[in-house]
Structures are given as C-alpha cells and as structure tokens.
Amino acid sequence: MKKKVLTTTIATGLMAAGVLTTQNPASAKADTVPTGDNTTSTTNEVATQKSDAKTIAQDNVNTAQVNLDKAKADTQNASDSLQKAKANETTAQKAVDEQTNKVADAQSNVDKVQADVTKAQNGLTAAQENAKNATGTNIQAAKDNVATQEQNVATAQDQEKQANDAVTEQANKVADAQKAVNDAQKNTSAAQNNVNAAQKTVDDAKVAMDPANVQATVDAANKAEAQVNQDKQDVAMAQNNLVNAKTADATRQTNIDNTQKAVNTAQANVDFSTKQAQEMKDQLNKYQGIKDAAQKEVDDLNDKLANVNTITISDVEAYKKAFNDWYTGSKRGENWTEEDKNFLNDFMNSNTYKGNAADKNIVVDINHLTADQIKALSLFSADLLNQVRNQLGLPKVIVTEGSLKLAKDVTDNYVSDNWDKLDHDVDGISRAVEENGLLSGGNFYEDAIFSSDFSEASTMDDLKSILYTGIVTMIGGSGDEMLHAAGLLGVDFGDDISTGKEQYFSAGTSMFPIKEDQMWITKMGHFFNVSKDYIRDSAKFSTTEVPGTSTEDLVTQLNTTKAKLASATDALNKAKDADTQAQQILAKNKAELITAQDNLTKAQNVPVQTETAQKALTDAQNKLAADTKINEDAQAKKEAALGDEAAKQKVLDQANANLATAQKALTDAQAKQKAAENNLSAEKAKLASLQQVANEKIQDVKTAQVALDDAKNKLAALENAPLLVKAAEDKLAAAQKALDPVENVLVSEKAKLSALKQDLADAQADVTTAQKNYDEKLAIQTKVQTDLDNAKKVLQAIYNREALEAQIVAQEKAREEAEKKAAEEKAQAEKNGYHVDGNKVVDENGNQVSNWTVKNGQIIDNKGKVVSGLTINKAGAIVNKTGQQINSKNVVDNLQANKRTQAPVVQSKAATYVSTVVAPEKAKANALPQTGEKESKTTLVGAILVGLGSLVGLFGLGRKKEY
C-alpha cells in the first residue's frame, strides 16, 4: 500500500506541473483507488499507469526529436536559401553598379559625339551661309578688304618702327642725362672734398699762428711729403696692375669665347643627334608595328591551319598502285594485294576529323540547309578533295553557283521523295540534273556517305565530320572498290590515275528514317561532280566560281606573310641597330655638351680684374692728388711756421680765400647736379610716354594682323565655299554616323541596366521571402526544441521516479531485513542472557537486574560508575570483551575477570552474593530511579529505527489519508 501511495503521489505531482502532453485516464484516478482487499489490483493498475506514462513520454520525446530534426533541416534549408538569395542579391547589385557605370560611360560617349554633331551642324550651317555669300561681288570685296588690311598692317608696322625709333632715341637721351647726373654727383662730391680740404687748411693755418705748434707743423709737413712719395709708388704699382689685369681679362674673354663656341657646337650636335635619335626611334616603332602586324598575320594563319582538316597520302606511288591494281584484270579488284589493302586501311585510319568548337555551336536543319550553309559545306569538301588531288597531281575541283544549286535541288528531292533507303534516289537526282541543264540518263553525278545516329539534332560540325569521313572513306576504297575514288578524283573508269578532269563540285546533306527492323535515323552526305562536257544548257548551269579560301590559299598566304615577317624582322633589326647607334651618339654628344658647359662656367667664374684695377689706379691717383694738395699746404704751413708772423698771416688769409672759392664751387656743383637730376626726370618721363606710344603701336600692328588674317580667312572661305560645304557635310555625316552606334550602345546598356535592376528587385524580393521563411522556420525550430526539452524533462522525471522507487523499495527491504534480524538477535539475546530493555538490564528470564542501569549506551552500577569489561551489542545483549553474552551463570566469572567487587543483585541459587529478586511487574517500584527512560530511543536499535523512519518519511512513506 505504501508503494501505491508513493507512485500516485509522484504521478500526481508531475501532472499537476502540466508537463505531460498525453495523460492516461487510469493515472488520473489513481488517488481515488480504495484500500483493503483490492491492494493487489491497485498495485497492478498503478504499474500499468507507470508503464503507459513512460511509453507516452518516450513517444513524445521521439516525436519531438523527429520534429526537431525536421525543423533543423527546414531551418538549414531556409538558411541556405537565404544565404543564396543574399549572394544573388549581392551579385545582382554588383551587376547593377557595374552596368550603371557602363550606362554612364555610354551616356558620356553619346554626349561627346552629340556635341561633335552639334558642332558639325553649326559648321555646316556656317559653310552653307558662306556659300550663299560666295558671289563674285563678295569675293572681290573680300579681296579688296585683304588689300586694305595688308596696307593697314604695313602702316601700323611703319608707325610701330617710328615709335620704337623714338623710344630708342629717347632712351639714349635718358642715358646721357643719367651720365650727366652721375658726373654732376662726382663733381659735387669732389667740390665737397675741396671744401673739406680748404677748411682743414684754414684750421691748420690758425693752428700754425700759435708758436707752440711749430714743431707739429714741421712734423705734419714731413709726414705729408712722405705720404706723397708713397702715393706715387702706389700709383706706379696700380698702373702696372691695370696692365696685368687688362691682359688677364683679355685671356679670360678669349677663354669664354672659345668655351662658348664649344658649347654652341656641342649644343648643335646634341640638337642634331636628338632629332636623329627621335627619327630612329620613330623608325624603330614603325618597323616594330610592321613586324608585329606581320607576326599577328603569321600567328592567325598558323592558328587557322592548325584547325584546318587535312587529308594526307603518306606514299603517293603506293596509292596509285593500289588504285591501278583495282582496275586491272578481268575482274575489278582481283589484283588487289594485301599490301594494297593494308596501305589503304592505314590511309583511312591515319586521317581523322578535327572537331571545331565554333561549328559545334551552329545548329542546322539537315534537310533544309541555307544557301550559306551549302556554300560552306561545299567549300570545305572541295578543299579536302583538292588536297588529295594536289598530292596526286590532278586538276582541282571548282565550286560554282551552278554546282551549289544542283546540291540544293538533289537534297530537296531526297526530302520531297521521303527517301528512306540506303541507296541513291536516282529519280530525284535525274530530276535535279535535268532542271539544271545537265546531261541525264545515269547516276554519275553523286557519291554519298551514310552515318547512323539516334538524334535528329545536328550541328555544322556533325555535317563536316560526315563529309570528311565520306571523302576519306571513298578515296580509301571503301567497300573494296575504287569507283567512288575515280568519281571524286575525276578519273574515267580504266584510265590511269595520273589523268583526271577539272570538275565543278559541291556537297550537301539530307536525313531520313530507315524502315527496317526498327526505326533509326540516318544522315547522308552528298558529293556532286559535274564535268564540263556534261553541261547541255549553260543558261541553267552557272559556272561562276564561288570565292573561298582553301588550305592551299592559307599556305600560300602563310608563306607570303612569313616572307613579309622575315623582311620586317630584318628591317626591325636594322632599325634597332640604327636606334642604338643614334642613342649612343646622343649620349656622347650630351656628355660633351655637359663638359663644354662646365668649361664655360669655369671660364665665366674667373673674376674680371680690369675694373677693379682701374678703380684701384683711380683711387691711388685721386689720393696722390689729394695728398699732393695736402703736402703743398703742409709745406706752406711749414715755411710759414718757420717764417715770421706776417707770412703766417698771409697763409691764413690765402687759406680763407681758398675756402671761400671751394665753397662757391660746391654751391655751383650742387646747382648743376640738381639741374641734371631734373633733366633726367624729364627725359625719363618723355621715355615713358614714348614707350606707351610704342606699346600702342605694337598692339595696333597685332590688331591689324588679326584683321588681315580674318580678311584672308573670309576670302579663302568664299573662294573655297563648295569645298568647305562638302567638308562640313562629310564631317556632319561622320559625326552622325558615329552617333548611331554609341546611341545604340546606350540604348542597349540602358536595356541591360533595366533588366539587371529587375533582376536586383527580384533578388531583393527573394531575400525578403527567404528571410521571412527562415524566421518562420527558426521560430518553429525554437518551439519544437522547447517541446523536446519539455518532453525530455517528463521522461527524465519518470526515470528519476522509477530510480527513486527502486531505491526506496531497496531501502524498505533492507530496513525490514534489518528489523527482522534485529528482532531475531534481540529475541536470541533475551533468550541467552543479560540484555537491555529500555534503560533497564534484565536477565534471560526477564527479571530486572536491580543494581545496573543503562545510560548513554553504557552499563552503570548503583554507584553511578561504568561497569568495566561489559558492553552492549546492537541486539541489546550485554557482552564481555570476547563478545560472549553474560547470563546468570557466568556473570560472576566475568565480573571477577574484570576485578569488580560489586555484583548485581539477582535471584539465583548459584549466586554466592545476597541479592534481591525483583519481579517484572514490581521492578519499576523497587528499582533505583531510572533517569534514562525518556531517552530509550537513543539506544542503538532505537537510533537505527529513528533513522530509517526519517528516511522513509523523507520519501513520503506516511500513511495516505483516505477521503
């Protein structure tokens, strides 16, 4: 019953929490199951309920996991779709951005070309207006205007010359006036010096009047005389230095002139060699361009030849032998040797078709080829056939307008006749032959090759492959006969292969179902040879050759181009040599120019000496003159100082007179300087005025020249009016022609941009849709994840509940076994001897031992001391140290063994001690006070029971209340 109560309690708790998504009705009624005789039934019902709940919970987990896996997959798919949509949006946006730039570029190009058109239109309007005015009268007026403007230019130029001459003359006057000012300034300076000197003479004369200064005057005179002598020596030296300086400057100028000439020569050499180097560079670029163009032609032709299909006969004589052997003998082919057959087999195996990528992209209707397609296939086949004919020394076949028409008519007849046999449509061929004015009466116009294919789709590459295989197979004696080879090579039956006829040739194709065991598609390649003598009505069969480029033409072009390339390469190499030489010469001349310029700089850096020497001489001469005057005054002062007072006074008077004269001369010099300066200002003003006039005359010449140029242009425009109109028309036409393609490009680019914008809008819409879908899927995944987590919690709770129930059952069982064992041990202990009963000690007969009590798991005597050597085991038995339970018989022995003097009081015949027997019902009254009764549950057995009770209570083992 306890188990049932536990189960229902847990189940109720789980359902009350609202975790279970599915609930078994039996579980819901578990709390109301009655107790009593229906215990077994209730237990089974509860077990069933637990099993159902666990199954339901596991199913819920499984379902939620499946739902989660699907939701995750859906979310991942949605995420992938979203990322793809975003990538597409990015790509679309990038495409729009790039296309927007292209549209902008295209619009810019249109604007530029439109501006050119507008400019050209204006030019044409002007040219047409000019043409209207291009009358004889206007032309003559224009000529007269040119003459007038020429005269105006001449007049203006003459006036300009006069003004410039006046400026030059006035500039000379300004220079003269400037020289006069300079001279006046020098004179004023000299007069000021004279005044200063005269003033000093006066001062010195006054000093000489003092007798105390005689010796000083004499010393000054001697010093002045010595200075004059020194000045004379300085003048002589300065004169010699001037001569040397003039010589040095002459040498310097000679060096400058010589180095300048060297610089001029070197510069001329550099200019010439620079021009030559540029000419050589231009020539090099020119020949490089020629060589590159020739190389490109060679490369292009090599590429073409690399992709050209070829048919090669490895041994011409062996082929001729096999051909002739087949025709000899009474029966064709009887003389064919194994060697012949092996050679032809090798020929067919060694020649294979090269696929063409461009042709693979050209889808054709094999039964309704266009004229251009028939032409292309015919030229292709003719080229292959001519390769073979050329190797055998036979005349070429020629593709003509008539042969192309014949090929088309035969193909059309195959189609209209619904031909479905692996044979020739002779009737259809004959009709076509007659319609084209050719000899009729036999099937000698067509050869054919068949190719089976289960697809009706064909490309130009498929058809060329069939035709290539057909020619190789027929030339190689397919079917053990050479009739096809004879027909294609233009050799009559029985003739030697070395003879052949020039023929008109073409090729065609057709496709039809073969109705044999099963329906399958056959493609047929047709070859048509028409000899000249087969033409009966030339009006119906055109022999006009269809132009085309054959392999032989390509080889010829290649050889010619290779020769051009070799010539261009040789010229380029020579140009490279010439360029190298020119660059070397230029480098040499530049180095020589640098050297010459350095030498000129050095020569120019040599200082000029004459001016300095001349100034030094002038300064020395001026100093000599001044010192001579000073010396004369000093000598006069000396004489006066040594003379009488009258002489000294005379010297002073003369000095004062000289000072007055010098002062007057200074005043005159200053007046002359002022006048010279005023004259200079006036002359400069005149020069400025004349220069302004000259500038105006220069502008007049320019204006007159512009008028003359305009008059000449107008005259030229009138005289060439028709040509200018034509040139303007051509320019306008060219501009308009250039406008159409750029406008078309703009329209195209705008259309592309519009489409790309729509793509972008679609991509953005896809992103929005994908984002919404992803968000929805993610929300679903989140919800399903929550459902799974909840389902797992329910299942885990059930597993936890089962584990708990199992643990409780095990604990209950252990408790019951422990209780049982304890009861058994207790019963045994009670039976065998002294044992504990609460806080009392009783013997094996149930009598209380009066002088012993139990306290805190120990035996206490009536003195309150612990009885030594005795313990209480878990069954409540009183045992000695060896674990032996004591009883009424061995209690003394045990006590003696432990040297105890106080023995318990018991009623026993064997006891030698006095004791009082206490009956069980009277034990409580006679016993010593037992203070441990209320603590009886602290005994070992009690503690165990209390512990187990607490544990069981923890898990809800109390009796379930019934309602």
Side-chain angles (χ1 to χ4, degrees), residues 636-650:
K637 292 176 183 179
K638 175 182 177 182
E639 292 176 1
L642 295 175
D644 55 18
E645 291 298 322
K648 293 179 180 178
Q649 185 61 49
K650 182 180 180 181

Side-chain angles (χ1 to χ4, degrees), residues 32 38 47 64 73 83 100 118 179 309 327 375 397 445-446 483 596 655 657 682 743 775 849 883 954:
T32 61
N38 294 327
Q83 296 307 316
T100 299
T118 302
K179 183 175 183 301
N309 285 279
Y327 280 104
K375 174 183 173 182
V397 296
Y445 292 96
E446 184 199 38
L483 290 174
E743 284 183 335
D775 293 340
V849 178
L954 177 65

